[in-house]
Amino acid sequence: MIGFVLRRLLQSVLVMLTVALIAFGLFRYVGDPINNLVGQDTSAIEREQLRKKLGLDDPFVVQFARFVKNAARGDFGISYRHRRPVAELIVERLPATLELSIVAALLALLVGVPMGVYTGLHRDGFLSRTFMTLSLVGVSLPTFLIGILLILLFGVVLRWLPTFGRGEVVAIGWWTTGLLTASGLKALIMPAVTLALFQMTLIMRLVRAEMLEVLRTDYIKFARARGLSNRAIHFGHALKNTLVPVITITGLQLGSIIAFAIITESVFQWPGMGLLFIQAINEVDIPVMAAYLVMIAFFFVVINLAVDLLYYLVDPRLRVDREQAAGHG
Amino acid sequence: MAERVGRPAPRGLLGRILDSDLFYSFSRSPVTVLAALVTAVMMGAAAFAPWVAPHRPFDLATLDLLDAFLPPAWMPDGDPRYLLGTDDQGRDVLSTIIYGARVSLLVGFAAVFLAMFLGVALGLVSGYMGGTVDAVIMRIADVQLSFPTILIALLIDGVARGLLPRDLHEEMAIYVLIFAIGVSGWVQYARTVRGSTLVEKRKEYVQAAQVIGIRPWVIMLRHVLPNVMGPVLVIGTIHLAIAIITEATLSFLGVGVPATQPSLGTLIRIGNDFLFSGEWWITIFPGAALAILVLSVNLLGDWLRDALNPKLR
């Protein structure tokens, strides 16, 4: 067990260091940082002095170590465009993205699981076929197109919902939330639905497949033989046993929801980190790109690590497999 | 195919195709036939755009700003010359869609081939060589797989923008895009090919080839490769749909192909600005074309996966 945890931790640290190396490479070698800091009329000597002062002519390893040390403390330098510390920009926009992502994930779970159970139980029902067809269409519609269609329908034609921004927000310490005001909640509906749809179809298909699998097992037949009610069998026995993979996948998908928020935020002009990142790419604002990259990698690594460890704890079969694999390798 | 041996060979290539299991399962599924038809029509229209499109949307001499913002032909104020209406510059929406599909499909196919080439090569080497090479390639694959494709494509795109001088951005955009989508998609191929290579490697024909002293890369290319390509085609079809969506997404986000050479995604982004003023057709029709194209390719991919899966026969 300890060996597995240590190996997994080491792997995570390696991934983070690789990402940091890419981010540092971006920072240091894509464009000249000095040119981005000073004006046109700075003399060559002044540039040289600044270069020395910032340590840009130190050996590569020293510079990289400094970058990692600063990054670990959340210091990513100053945005070329906004002329403000990158950390400040990100902290400002973090709540918007996290709120959107978490609401979308909950929505996907709360709608996707019941739909999956239903389509699993009534395989050939009309509603099940409709859900399955819709889910195929949902997979084929790119996220941004779904957003545009929603805007057209509910924003332009029906005029029920706002089409951009976060509405009014309330500040709680450094965290700003739109969940406490009516306009904030209204503004959240369309982006959250857009972001949730793809994950919803994924969860639905997963739950359906797992339900079909579980319903064929002997203990379900035995439960039926004992004369338990359908409700008890479907929810007490079957659904419970499908939930382990569902929780795992949802956990892993949380990372990609945060990444896909880039698209949703761009469609709805939602003031989160994704929008910041897209603007940074468009304007080649390297420090912001590097910071976003390191942060999102950190999210992913932590989520993957947590899910792996949970899985390991929950499913005893895995432990045996891994030990055997380790023995052979 | 192995089961053909012993039966009289049907005459000609067409006869063999019509006689195959694959064609039988194809003709039995009306949805698949429809999807294939739609895909063929769209690809054909895109390939022969200069002859098919009713107008020349990018020839400034033929544009007239008086024709701007015309609604589709069946609506009041519609002009029968412009079936699906016109955009802000008086360009025929149907023609821009046909030219846009051309760019989308070009980028999609090129990216799929790049990913396929990279993935098959790395998977083959990884599976056949084993050892350190295998470990290194598969670790890279693991790391890349833990991030969503779109994020990696965005990152590569961003780095390329940083590296290239600003005035080259527009010219190089399409190549950058192909590179970004291609490189972000190789892992699936590599994993599949590596798996089948590991199986093939232990078979007698490979061992025989090794014993008579054929060089490893010849064995990989001439002996193993043809036997591991089946699943690759299935992944390729499904990947084409993903690549087209990725391209459209990047273009929609404004980091894909420039407006001077628009793909379907760029058209949707341009049209998005006019959504609020009621000119919905500028964005909805390219969007519908994109959705129909991707849906058809997805359906074809699903069918191919099931048809080639011996377990489902």
Side-chain angles (χ1 to χ4, degrees):
Chain A
M1 175 70 195
I2 294 174
F4 170 72
V5 173
L6 281 181
R7 213 165 38 236
R8 207 53 199 72
L9 266 176
L10 191 71
Q11 220 177 357
S12 308
V13 171
L14 270 180
V15 171
M16 278 315 292
L17 278 180
T18 316
V19 173
L21 191 65
I22 296 173
F24 172 71
L26 268 177
F27 198 55
R28 183 64 192 83
Y29 297 106
V30 177
D32 185 357
I34 296 289
N35 279 348
N36 283 303
L37 284 173
V38 298
Q40 290 276 318
D41 48 337
T42 316
S43 71
I45 301 166
E46 280 172 313
R47 279 166 195 256
E48 224 29 63
Q49 280 169 345
L50 188 61
R51 195 178 293 274
K52 209 158 250 157
K53 204 179 115 208
L54 293 174
L56 288 174
D57 47 5
D58 287 344
F60 178 83
V61 183
V62 177
Q63 286 194 46
F64 181 54
R66 196 184 299 131
F67 177 82
V68 171
K69 206 175 81 191
N70 286 339
R73 289 189 310 208
D75 179 6
F76 287 96
I78 292 167
S79 155
Y80 293 160
R81 193 183 113 80
H82 299 271
R83 305 274 157 198
R84 289 173 53 200
V86 176
E88 239 179 73
L89 288 171
I90 287 195
V91 166
E92 229 172 65
R93 284 156 176 262
L94 188 67
T97 297
L98 283 186
E99 245 169 41
L100 176 63
S101 305
I102 290 169
V103 170
L106 285 177
L107 196 64
L109 260 184
L110 294 180
V111 180
V113 172
M115 270 166 84
V117 172
Y118 183 84
T119 48
L121 292 179
H122 311 271
R123 278 187 75 166
D124 299 314
F126 172 72
L127 206 55
S128 301
R129 286 182 184 278
T130 316
F131 282 160
M132 290 305 284
T133 314
L134 280 181
S135 82
L136 189 64
V137 175
V139 171
S140 300
L141 277 179
T143 317
F144 67 93
L145 206 54
I146 295 175
I148 290 176
L149 289 177
L150 287 179
I151 288 182
L152 180 65
L153 185 60
F154 295 105
V156 179
V157 177
L158 297 173
R159 293 179 187 280
W160 287 351
L161 297 168
T163 54
F164 63 90
R166 268 184 98 188
E168 271 174 65
V169 292
V170 180
I172 305 174
W174 59 273
W175 185 278
T176 57
T177 177
L179 296 177
L180 296 176
T181 61
S183 75
L185 283 175
K186 261 175 113 174
L188 184 63
I189 296 175
M190 284 205 289
V193 168
T194 308
L195 191 53
L197 267 180
F198 183 76
Q199 314 294 333
M200 206 185 286
T201 54
L202 200 75
I203 291 175
M204 182 190 107
R205 279 169 173 261
L206 185 72
V207 172
R208 176 180 177 272
E210 291 286 331
M211 281 295 275
L212 289 176
E213 192 98 336
V214 169
L215 284 175
R216 274 204 297 267
T217 53
D218 287 342
Y219 68 84
I220 295 292
K221 280 182 202 149
F222 184 63
R224 286 200 201 287
R226 273 160 63 204
L228 293 183
S229 68
N230 270 341
R231 174 192 284 269
I233 294 172
H234 293 156
F235 294 95
H237 293 69
L239 182 61
K240 221 187 219 170
N241 279 289
T242 63
L243 284 183
V244 175
V246 172
I247 290 168
T248 320
I249 299 278
T250 318
L252 290 176
Q253 287 298 319
L254 195 62
S256 46
I257 288 183
I258 294 175
F260 274 101
I262 298 173
I263 303 164
T264 315
E265 284 175 11
S266 188
V267 175
F268 292 97
Q269 293 297 304
W270 186 264
M273 291 190 303
L275 202 58
L276 186 72
F277 181 58
I278 280 295
Q279 283 163 353
I281 287 188
N282 259 321
E283 287 149 5
V284 199
D285 191 345
I286 304 287
V288 175
M289 275 170 70
Y292 181 83
L293 183 68
V294 171
M295 253 195 54
I296 216 114
F298 183 70
F299 272 126
F300 269 91
V301 165
V302 169
I303 291 171
N304 280 345
L305 188 66
V307 168
D308 255 23
L309 293 181
L310 267 181
Y311 220 75
Y312 190 80
L313 287 177
V314 169
D315 194 342
R317 284 169 301 183
L318 212 66
R319 270 174 255 174
V320 181
D321 284 352
R322 290 246 165 128
E323 271 152 29
Q324 276 174 352
H328 286 300
Chain B
M1 281 194 182
E3 65 260 44
R4 292 257 162 275
V5 182
R7 265 203 262 164
R11 60 275 137 230
L13 183 63
L14 190 66
R16 275 174 59 187
I17 290 174
L18 291 178
D19 193 48
S20 68
D21 297 341
L22 212 56
F23 185 78
Y24 178 74
S25 99
F26 175 74
S27 58
R28 288 293 297 251
S29 159
V31 177
T32 310
V33 174
L34 185 67
L37 218 62
V38 171
T39 314
V41 166
M42 291 186 88
M43 283 183 183
F48 300 105
W51 295 277
V52 176
H55 297 268
R56 295 165 169 270
F58 305 113
D59 181 359
L60 289 176
T62 67
L63 295 181
D64 187 350
L65 274 179
L66 289 176
D67 288 339
F69 295 124
L70 286 174
W74 61 85
M75 285 177 49
D77 304 334
D79 187 321
R81 283 180 301 155
Y82 305 109
L83 184 61
L84 299 181
T86 58
D87 67 2
D88 58 320
Q89 295 173 39
R91 300 185 294 200
D92 175 41
V93 170
L94 178 62
S95 305
T96 55
I97 289 176
I98 294 174
Y99 277 93
R102 193 179 161 99
V103 177
S104 286
L105 281 165
L106 179 75
V107 173
F109 271 111
V112 167
F113 282 126
L114 177 62
M116 203 184 266
F117 176 76
L118 273 177
V120 170
L122 288 172
L124 207 54
V125 169
S126 190
Y128 192 79
M129 296 293 188
T132 320
V133 181
D134 181 34
V136 170
I137 293 178
M138 283 302 119
R139 277 303 81 71
I140 297 174
D142 283 347
V143 171
Q144 187 172 329
L145 207 61
S146 57
F147 297 95
T149 325
I150 187 88
L151 198 63
I152 292 170
L154 264 175
L155 176 70
I156 297 174
D157 202 84
V159 174
R161 272 165 186 266
L163 287 174
L164 291 171
R166 268 176 197 272
D167 42 333
L168 277 179
H169 277 182
E170 297 231 325
E171 271 172 63
M172 299 291 290
I174 203 162
Y175 303 103
V176 170
L177 208 53
I178 291 171
F179 181 77
I181 301 173
V183 170
S184 63
W186 65 275
V187 177
Q188 279 286 319
Y189 298 96
R191 287 199 155 189
T192 313
V193 168
R194 174 177 176 272
S196 348
T197 304
L198 285 177
V199 175
E200 295 297 320
K201 201 169 84 172
R202 298 206 189 87
K203 291 193 177 161
E204 279 98 349
Y205 72 92
V206 175
Q207 288 171 350
Q210 284 168 340
V211 168
I212 59 174
I214 296 176
R215 273 163 299 173
W217 67 269
V218 179
I219 299 182
M220 277 192 256
L221 290 181
R222 299 284 299 273
H223 300 250
V224 180
L225 184 62
N227 288 303
V228 297
M229 280 305 278
V232 169
L233 294 179
V234 177
I235 301 177
T237 318
I238 295 171
H239 188 207
L240 179 63
I242 298 174
I244 293 173
I245 288 191
T246 311
E247 186 279 326
T249 305
L250 291 179
S251 292
F252 175 78
L253 292 175
V255 294
V257 293
T260 47
Q261 201 187 4
S263 71
L264 290 175
T266 324
L267 291 176
I268 297 169
R269 177 167 60 95
I270 297 171
N272 198 22
D273 296 339
F274 305 110
L275 203 57
F276 298 102
S277 46
E279 283 95 11
W280 52 269
W281 58 89
I282 306 176
T283 185
I284 293 302
F285 287 129
L290 177 69
I292 293 171
L293 178 63
V294 172
L295 183 64
S296 308
V297 175
N298 262 337
L299 285 170
L300 277 183
D302 275 359
W303 162 76
L304 194 63
R305 185 186 56 205
D306 291 347
L308 290 181
N309 187 348
K311 276 188 210 151
L312 291 178
R313 279 202 190 138

